[in-house]
Amino acid sequence: MVQATQNQLSGQVAVITGGGRGIGAAIAQKLASEGAMAVLCGRKTAPLESTAAAIIKAGGKAHVAECDVVDLVSVESVAERVKVNFGRVDVLVNNAGVGSFASPLHQLPPDSWEHVLNTNLRGVYYCIRSFAPMMIAAGKGHIINVSSLAGKNALPNGAAYAASKWGLNGLSYSVAEELRGHNIRVSVVCPGSVNTELSPHAGKDPKKMLQPADVAHVVAMLVTQESQSFVSEVLLRPTLKP
């Protein structure tokens, strides 16, 4: 595996969903620091613009695109915007996600189930459906799906979230096989608990937890992997248990 070097992604376009804060913002900043045009997607413009401003201040390039991944029309509109403005998409990072960790499954309201599954799984389908054709036409590309160790292990009171991530893992492995012949590499990253606002981390030391920059570092390594190979899955854990 080759670690990214400065400007290794120069001239490339990277679309990052959930790019306004947390893991998504860290990934956008990292890929921009490697020379990519970071297209930040999310439902709320303010955090996207804040992240974009930080990227530009650091000398990178960023573009804000308001987008709701559970709305196919919204995603298709952004894909067309990227095609018109940049003519290409080299990296798609499906990072947007939500969680529900307050109750066992039998007490979970149906609308909460729908919200989690639609965002974490259907949203990835919509994004791949909308952006993969551009990669196929170009004969290259890399799709990174941000999953979770909850897609590998039991998560009491988080069954809907776990189900969405188990599903995302299966989707990723299958889509990787579908797109290999087009020279498009599909990878899934499964971090443990990350120090973000997504879920409660009662009793855990934030300093020992994974940080958004740790996930961003892995994504940068994946998209700069030598062209004759790709890493299909990464399980990311903190060195010290928090």
Side-chain angles (χ1 to χ4, degrees), residues 105-128:
L105 185 65
H106 69 277
Q107 296 177 353
L108 185 71
D111 59 345
S112 295
W113 168 271
E114 294 293 334
H115 181 50
V116 172
L117 270 293
N118 284 347
T119 304
N120 296 358
L121 197 51
R122 182 179 295 186
V124 175
Y125 155 56
Y126 284 170
C127 287
I128 292 175

Side-chain angles (χ1 to χ4, degrees), residues 16 18-22 24-26 28-29 39-55 62-67 197:
I16 305 100
R21 56 169 61 92
Q29 290 168 332
V39 179
L40 311 177
C41 300
R43 291 181 295 117
K44 298 180 179 179
T45 304
L48 297 175
E49 291 180 341
S50 177
T51 300
I55 289 171
H63 180 83
V64 169
E66 188 174 338
C67 177
E197 301 173 353

Side-chain angles (χ1 to χ4, degrees), residues 147-189:
S147 183
S148 169
L149 287 182
K152 296 285 185 178
N153 306 317
L155 182 63
N157 294 330
Y161 180 78
S164 71
K165 295 304 185 179
W166 281 75
L168 179 57
N169 291 349
L171 179 151
S172 301
Y173 310 144
S174 299
V175 172
E177 292 304 311
E178 293 171 357
L179 296 179
R180 284 175 78 176
H182 297 286
N183 197 33
I184 298 169
R185 307 185 291 183
V186 180
S187 306
V188 60
V189 180

